[in-house]
Amino acid sequence: MADVSVDKVAEFQNATMPLIEATNTAAMTSLLGMIRSLSYWQIAITLLCVLLVWDQISYQTKKGSCEGPRWKWYPIIGPFLESLDPKFEEYKAKWYSGELSCVSIFHKFVVIASSRDLARKIMQSPKFVKPCVVDVAVKILRPNNWVFLDGKAHVDYRKSLNGLFTKHALEQYLPGLEDIIDKYIEKFVSISKGNDYKPQVFFHEMREILCALSLSAFCGKYITEDQVRKIADDYYLVTAALELVNFPIILPYTKTWYGKRTADAAMKIFEECAQMAKDHIASGGEPICVMDAWAKLMQDAKDKDDEQSRLYHREFSNKEMSEAVFTFLFASQDASSSLACWLFQIVADRPDVLQKIREEQVAVRDGDMSKKVTLPLIEKMKYTTMCIKESLRYRPPVLMVPYVVKQKFQVRDNYTAPKGSMLIPTLYPALHDPEVYENPDEYIPERWVEGSPANAAKKNWLVFGCGPHVCLGQTYVMMTFCALLGKFALYTDFQHTVTPLSEKIKVFATIFPQDDLLMTFKRRDPLTGEVHE
């Protein structure tokens, strides 16, 4: 009976197979005929419709419980045109729309975290995320640059750099920094005098002095004044090349092309400086800059046989040192320039604050204006430090820090960020939290007195980030700006011209006053306060 059933099934299959094949062939022929009957325009429109539907479905799937537009009103490109000219007010509206919000631009899905706790969670989750920059950054900063390392490799490299930013190391850089400050005091006064002390834009000069200070700390006297000026003049090209939205392919005469050319030229200079630093230390010289300190660590490690020395202070090549120093400049230049612009504007607009800074600067020197700036002297500048810290809170140079999601990351109970998306913790709301900082939109240096609620709220102080990628140079920043602001307050009468745009925020990598800082500088006697023209 079983054999009969099998035979009948086989017979049925043999009988129906030609019919099925014929039907399939007819269907395929019909489909091909229909496709052939379509014009190229009809095919293109059909594919476009499929793409648009897929784009919306993909956006909806990734959006989940995040705040954001219900649909992508600009299919595919998203708010691309808005991102070409970012507005602080639009950013702020996004932050306060919900603790998680999103946008989608081309193939990039971006999730913005605006609460303090979510921002900290992201920055402290290296298993799931890593810092990222725009696509072209790898080409400009070079693929082997240490900033693109992840996990243990990144941790180990950072440990090799820690010795460059200890208090002892930083104190060795101070004499060179003070020399730069003195030169620029004369330069700023000369510029104002040449313009009959009329208010003029000092945005570019602030960028130049901060670049000069950074390069002095990094390269010491191995870099010439002409090289410093060239890098300072051209560095904005790197900033422009690394804007959030830029063409990812480097084509001649585009922003990215100019940016890479500038970066390559600067790193070539740094390679030469690295070799000079190695030669200086090898001949018995003392460290006076970051490169010297790095060369000294490498030299000292040669006399040690422990695994840690071999790992952290191996023989770094000039190329590696140059790339690392360029990333230090990349991390500091725009942020420190932003802080300088806001700090000078804020202090100049508040004569009572400026007077207290001046009184403190005279007091810590015991009235002896010949005293050089040292770390112990800076540590006595309590009020000056509070002014700098309050400026960092009031106008934080870095608003957001982009990360890329390495694997699905449950950011909160009802939302998981998809792999490959950008996850951006925002710093501004935590630094303007009214529950921590009373009257957060006012500049109040005294909120930072020892034992105050602001000082106690360590979790809100996200100016320098947190987690494994916390800023290496935060002590350097406070030290440099205490020296900078202190000497300018003593030796110059600097005044700011207020315009309707002075308190408006312009976003260019970091933030600046929209009127580009209108100021004038005159010579001032540090003891009598007498102003000279």
Side-chain angles (χ1 to χ4, degrees):
M1 182 68 71
D3 292 341
V4 173
S5 299
V6 172
D7 291 342
K8 287 184 177 179
V9 170
E11 183 181 342
F12 175 77
Q13 288 178 337
N14 291 334
T16 57
M17 189 61 68
L19 180 61
I20 294 173
E21 290 176 353
T23 302
N24 289 341
T25 301
M28 183 62 69
T29 302
S30 176
L31 178 61
L32 291 172
M34 183 176 67
I35 291 173
R36 290 194 189 98
S37 69
L38 295 174
S39 68
Y40 288 118
W41 280 110
Q42 289 172 315
I43 294 172
I45 291 172
T46 301
L47 292 175
L48 179 61
C49 290
V50 170
L51 180 62
L52 293 176
V53 170
W54 172 85
D55 184 52
Q56 293 291 353
I57 292 173
S58 175
Y59 171 73
Q60 293 295 324
T61 303
K62 293 174 180 177
K63 177 178 181 295
S65 61
C66 290
E67 295 294 329
R70 184 73 181 88
W71 305 96
K72 284 182 69 173
W73 296 111
Y74 301 101
I76 310 299
I77 66 171
F80 169 73
L81 298 178
E82 296 173 17
S83 63
L84 291 175
D85 183 22
K87 300 288 192 298
F88 173 77
E89 292 75 18
E90 293 172 359
Y91 280 146
K92 192 173 180 180
K94 200 76 176 170
W95 302 332
Y96 290 100
S97 67
E99 65 173 6
L100 280 182
S101 57
C102 68
V103 294
S104 180
I105 301 177
F106 289 113
H107 64 294
K108 294 286 186 184
F109 183 76
V110 182
V111 180
I112 301 166
S114 56
S115 73
R116 178 201 69 185
D117 292 338
L118 287 185
R120 292 185 67 86
K121 179 178 181 179
I122 294 165
M123 288 188 280
Q124 294 175 331
S125 299
K127 178 181 177 181
F128 296 97
V129 299
K130 66 176 181 179
C132 69
V133 281
V134 293
D135 294 340
V136 77
V138 175
K139 299 170 185 174
I140 292 177
L141 300 179
R142 298 181 180 171
N144 295 324
N145 199 305
W146 78 281
V147 295
F148 301 118
L149 297 176
D150 194 24
K152 186 177 185 302
H154 174 265
V155 172
D156 287 345
Y157 205 112
R158 273 185 68 103
K159 285 181 180 178
S160 74
L161 302 176
N162 286 339
L164 309 179
F165 294 96
T166 63
K167 285 190 175 182
H168 172 69
L170 293 174
E171 190 162 23
Q172 294 174 320
Y173 314 151
L174 265 173
L177 295 180
E178 187 169 16
D179 288 344
I180 296 294
I181 292 169
D182 291 342
K183 287 179 182 178
Y184 274 87
I185 285 175
E186 294 301 316
K187 181 172 182 175
F188 281 19
V189 169
S190 177
I191 290 172
S192 291
K193 184 178 180 179
N195 195 42
D196 294 327
Y197 298 106
K198 296 174 184 176
Q200 66 185 93
V201 169
F202 263 84
F203 165 79
H204 304 288
E205 282 70 25
M206 287 297 175
R207 288 179 65 86
E208 182 180 323
I209 185 176
L210 265 300
C211 188
L213 286 168
S214 295
L215 293 178
S216 172
F218 301 154
C219 304
K221 295 180 179 178
Y222 308 127
I223 190 166
T224 68
E225 289 187 13
D226 287 343
Q227 289 172 329
V228 168
R229 193 174 300 109
K230 177 64 174 172
I231 293 173
D233 288 345
D234 292 349
Y235 190 83
Y236 80 95
L237 296 171
V238 178
T239 304
L242 295 175
E243 286 176 328
L244 181 61
V245 178
N246 250 328
F247 197 62
I249 300 174
I250 297 179
L251 298 175
Y253 308 108
T254 60
K255 286 183 181 180
T256 52
W257 183 80
Y258 284 113
K260 186 175 189 311
R261 194 170 69 161
T262 298
D264 287 345
M267 281 189 258
K268 183 64 177 175
I269 293 170
F270 297 158
E271 282 190 51
E272 295 169 356
C273 293
Q275 185 58 54
M276 286 188 277
K278 289 177 179 179
D279 294 342
H280 171 70
I281 296 300
S283 65
E286 290 297 318
I288 60 170
C289 65
V290 166
M291 285 189 169
D292 282 342
W294 201 345
K296 186 75 165 64
L297 287 171
M298 288 188 286
Q299 184 185 72
D300 292 347
K302 292 176 182 177
D303 299 326
K304 299 177 182 178
D305 194 35
D306 60 287
E307 184 179 348
Q308 190 175 51
S309 294
R310 289 195 302 271
L311 176 63
Y312 300 147
H313 303 138
R314 61 177 173 80
E315 188 65 29
F316 289 88
S317 69
N318 295 343
K319 182 173 180 291
E320 286 178 300
M321 292 176 71
S322 76
E323 290 174 352
V325 166
F326 190 82
T327 61
F328 296 160
L329 184 64
F330 169 67
S332 67
Q333 176 59 14
D334 291 312
S336 60
S337 299
S338 168
L339 173 57
C341 287
W342 288 112
L343 186 60
F344 275 79
Q345 172 175 305
I346 289 166
V347 170
D349 289 347
R350 294 162 176 80
D352 57 324
V353 171
L354 181 54
Q355 182 58 30
K356 289 178 183 178
I357 292 171
R358 285 171 171 156
E359 289 172 358
E360 179 179 75
Q361 292 298 317
V362 173
V364 298
R365 290 172 171 80
D366 299 319
D368 182 2
M369 295 298 102
S370 67
K371 279 189 177 180
K372 293 293 184 180
V373 177
T374 62
L375 203 54
L377 194 72
I378 287 174
E379 289 173 345
K380 294 178 182 178
M381 300 177 187
K382 304 297 185 184
Y383 186 76
T384 307
T385 298
M386 288 192 293
C387 291
I388 295 165
K389 197 167 183 179
E390 178 65 353
S391 183
L392 285 166
R393 183 207 66 81
Y394 178 65
R395 289 289 184 263
V398 178
L399 299 176
M400 300 178 287
V401 183
Y403 287 77
V404 64
V405 180
K406 298 190 292 184
Q407 56 178 300
K408 287 185 178 180
F409 179 28
Q410 187 171 354
V411 184
R412 63 180 182 188
D413 291 342
N414 64 346
Y415 185 74
T416 298
K419 179 181 178 180
S421 60
M422 287 182 70
L423 195 52
I424 304 182
T426 304
L427 314 183
Y428 188 92
L431 295 165
H432 286 74
D433 184 348
E435 294 184 10
V436 174
Y437 307 110
E438 187 177 355
N439 300 319
D441 293 325
E442 294 183 18
Y443 179 84
I444 309 171
E446 290 78 9
R447 74 168 82 246
W448 295 105
V449 297
E450 190 173 345
S452 66
N455 261 322
K458 305 295 185 186
K459 288 187 176 181
N460 282 68
W461 184 245
L462 293 175
V463 170
F464 297 103
C466 66
H469 293 275
V470 66
C471 177
L472 274 170
Q474 50 187 303
T475 304
Y476 163 78
V477 170
M478 300 305 294
M479 175 190 80
T480 301
F481 274 89
C482 277
L484 176 67
L485 180 60
K487 294 214 73 173
F488 264 88
L490 283 174
Y491 290 94
T492 70
D493 175 51
F494 58 89
Q495 297 180 2
H496 172 245
T497 299
V498 179
T499 75
L501 298 178
S502 294
E503 286 294 329
K504 301 273 186 191
I505 294 173
K506 172 176 67 176
V507 181
F508 180 64
T510 49
I511 62 172
F512 296 92
Q514 281 191 14
D515 62 6
D516 287 337
L517 190 67
L518 295 170
M519 296 199 74
T520 186
F521 292 81
K522 296 179 181 179
R523 285 188 179 85
R524 177 185 182 276
D525 186 287
L527 289 176
T528 67
E530 184 179 354
V531 177
H532 305 279
E533 293 191 6

